[in-house]
Amino acid sequence: MSKTLIAFFSRADENYFGGSMRYVEVGNTEIAVGKIKELIDADTFKIEMKTPYSADYMTCIDEAKKDLKNKVRPELAKELSSIDEYDTVILAYPNYWGTMPMAVFTFIEKFDFTGKTILPLCTNEGSGMGGSERSIKQECPSAKLGKGLSVTGSRVNDSKPQIEKWLRANGVKETLIKASAHIAPSDF
């Protein structure tokens, strides 16, 4: 029986939403992960930095840019001991400067993804997947990389049908998808 892990990085605090800033208690990526959990049975692991970026959005993006430029691998608050039992890893993250947050690099570099399928999901406000799929392929060359999904953060609350279609298109086994009336298999 195949098992799925959803490993995700999400940022609450002050965030950017289509031209303005607002404070949120749950980040967009974590909301998207909740939508996935409504659709499939999967374990979750939240990738969190031991020393998080600033709650202020503008300061956070400066910190993230500096870490990207310096190829920093931030220490994680907690670590997963193994991914051996999982066949599929859904890797969810916001777009940080055209790729994944550096904490996601810290996470994926710890494991051997040989023979595993990675399904990337990237929340953003218009920048799409950026180069994150290329980064994943470079860091995990022996994994099968499924087609990524770009979810607009300010529309994440309405993303369940989009996420379900993406899961099906990436071959997530029908037995994993919970009963849902949103999208019929014939829509593919």
Side-chain angles (χ1 to χ4, degrees), residues 16-70:
Y16 177 79
F17 291 90
S20 64
M21 310 291 185
R22 74 173 190 244
Y23 180 86
V24 295
E25 291 187 27
V26 179
N28 295 327
T29 306
E30 190 164 357
I31 292 169
V33 168
K35 304 292 180 197
I36 297 169
K37 289 286 290 173
E38 291 173 15
L39 295 165
I40 65 170
D41 291 318
D43 294 337
T44 57
F45 178 78
K46 187 172 184 178
I47 301 166
E48 298 177 282
M49 295 168 48
K50 187 172 186 176
T51 305
Y53 293 137
S54 172
D56 174 78
Y57 181 78
M58 297 308 288
T59 304
C60 171
I61 64 169
D62 287 343
E63 293 166 340
K65 186 176 187 179
K66 181 181 175 188
D67 281 357
L68 174 64
K69 180 181 176 187
N70 295 318

Side-chain angles (χ1 to χ4, degrees), residues 6-12 15 17 24-37 44-47 90-96 99-101 104 119-125 149-157 159 163:
I6 306 167
F8 71 98
F9 180 93
S10 190
R11 183 177 182 283
N15 271 302
F17 291 90
V24 295
E25 291 187 27
V26 179
N28 295 327
T29 306
E30 190 164 357
I31 292 169
V33 168
K35 304 292 180 197
I36 297 169
K37 289 286 290 173
T44 57
F45 178 78
K46 187 172 184 178
I47 301 166
I90 296 172
L91 194 59
Y93 48 87
N95 184 322
Y96 272 26
T99 191
M100 305 174 292
V104 177
L119 302 179
L121 181 147
C122 180
T123 58
N124 60 85
E125 280 301 308
L149 177 64
S150 171
V151 175
T152 303
S154 56
R155 296 187 196 132
V156 72
N157 287 320
S159 67
I163 289 170

Side-chain angles (χ1 to χ4, degrees), residues 111-145:
F111 301 108
D112 178 3
F113 284 85
T114 300
K116 299 191 184 304
T117 298
I118 300 174
L119 302 179
L121 181 147
C122 180
T123 58
N124 60 85
E125 280 301 308
S127 52
M129 300 294 294
S132 64
E133 291 169 298
R134 188 172 43 256
S135 295
I136 294 167
K137 191 63 178 164
Q138 185 175 15
E139 297 296 327
C140 307
S142 58
K144 177 185 173 199
L145 183 62

Side-chain angles (χ1 to χ4, degrees), residues 39-40 164 167-168 172-180:
L39 295 165
I40 65 170
E164 184 172 3
L167 289 169
R168 289 182 190 276
V172 173
K173 299 211 182 304
E174 294 293 320
T175 57
L176 291 178
I177 296 181
K178 297 176 183 177
S180 174

